Amino acid sequence: MSRVFSGVQPTGNLHLGNYLGAIKNFVRLQENHECIYCVVDLHAITAWQSPPELSQNTREVAAAYLAAGVDPKRSVIFNQSAVTVHAELAWIFNCVARLGWLNRMTQFKEKAGKNRENASVGLYIYPSLMAADILAYRATHVPVGEDQKQHLELTRDIAQKFNYDFGTDFFPIVQPLIFDSAARVMSLRDGRRKMSKSDPSDNSRINITDDPDTIVRKIRRAKTDPEPVPDGSGTLGTPSTRPEAFNLLEVYAALGDFSKSEIMSEFGGRPFSEFKARLAEVAVETLGPLGDEMRRLMGDPSEIDRVLIEGAARAEHIARPILGDIYDIVGFLKTGSSFSEN
Ligand code: AMP
Ligand code: TRP
């Protein structure tokens, strides 16, 4: 049986990379999979979040899922802290994962920066909580952007070590679903850095809630070079020599579901200004309605809260018995009240 699980952190500034790299795929996958989509608020607090903003951002990610087309009747939408199995299983995985494994995590190194002594312990063990998110549902497939690949490899290592140590095949070995198109959307100001929620320059990203004028302006000002649009022949550069140019092609392809060769034969050799005008149109066509629907949903949080409450109950219903089986495997007595119905 296959089951899809993924999550997005409620840390504000949801952007085009989050949409194309993750959320857009969430919508497609629900056509033929059982899907569980989480707003990972426990992960968010590994770095400081102001409490009112955390609540607002949690609803905003849920609103983005809904506005993009995740159907709460078909898929489960909930926030992580509402289902305590995640934190409970994370503790067990903290005792399975090795320090050496976590020491290799590039996201920790990037986020902790130079002042590693001052990073939270939560930031360090972030990947074992992520493994718990996925394995609490025994999920088999995880759609994410490229940057999460290493964390999913760690999830596989944890599952394998648990299975080996306890002599079981209880946990599946998860498959990352990283799609070719727009798995790594780059900053509009620097084609060698990924588009990120935490970039201090708002002009580096297109936020899902940007209004049409802002989208058009940001695309017009996006960094390029004096060369025309690449035509695929290689004479007009490659992704490594012209990262900004190829990033914009990638974004256009993903937004409009075009192939890159189609785009290069249409725009190749033409000035970038022409291509940017067309890209801005497609971006506004896609993100405009998405942002409008998010604003409508955020105007009445009770609708979002209803979805999250119902989703949490459904998630709990799946994960609690799985945690019960894990307790049996580990040798914990299920004397606590959370197992009394099993
Ligand atoms: P985060 O904002 O870190 O919670 O990421 C949520 C999802 O968006 C994850 O699946 C990420 O891999 C994906 N994502 C974040 N930034 C980008 C980007 N620049 N390009 C493509 N996917 C991204
Ligand atoms: N670490 C992911 C990110 O920053 C978010 C996340 C948390 C996640 N738990 C997950 C993604 C489980 C997929 C599956 O993008």
Side-chain angles (χ1 to χ4, degrees), residues 73-152:
K73 293 211 173 57
R74 204 183 290 182
S75 304
V76 176
I77 299 177
F78 73 108
N79 60 305
Q80 193 183 23
S81 60
V83 179
T84 58
V85 173
H86 294 245
E88 292 161 330
L89 182 55
W91 178 256
I92 296 175
F93 286 168
N94 283 335
C95 302
V96 174
R98 307 286 93 182
L99 284 177
W101 301 357
L102 293 175
N103 283 337
R104 284 195 286 274
M105 294 295 111
T106 54
Q107 183 170 300
F108 174 77
K109 290 180 200 166
E110 274 164 27
K111 288 198 176 171
K114 287 198 186 70
N115 198 0
R116 201 180 286 194
E117 295 285 304
N118 200 35
S120 75
V121 176
L123 186 67
Y124 187 67
I125 57 175
Y126 178 115
S128 57
L129 176 60
M130 180 160 161
D133 295 340
I134 299 163
L135 295 172
Y137 303 88
R138 296 169 91 185
T140 51
H141 293 82
V142 183
V144 282
E146 242 274 318
D147 60 347
Q148 295 304 309
K149 200 170 163 200
Q150 194 185 36
H151 286 158
L152 292 182

Side-chain angles (χ1 to χ4, degrees), residues 11-13 15 111 193 195-201 204-205:
T11 41
N13 297 336
H15 54 70
K111 288 198 176 171
R193 291 161 55 134
M195 187 176 284
S196 150
K197 290 167 172 173
S198 55
D199 194 314
S201 162
S204 70
R205 66 182 159 261

Side-chain angles (χ1 to χ4, degrees), residues 26 30 33-37 70-77 314:
F26 296 0
Q30 65 180 352
H33 294 85
E34 179 193 2
C35 297
I36 304 171
Y37 297 125
V70 177
D71 175 359
K73 293 211 173 57
R74 204 183 290 182
S75 304
V76 176
I77 299 177
R314 287 166 65 196

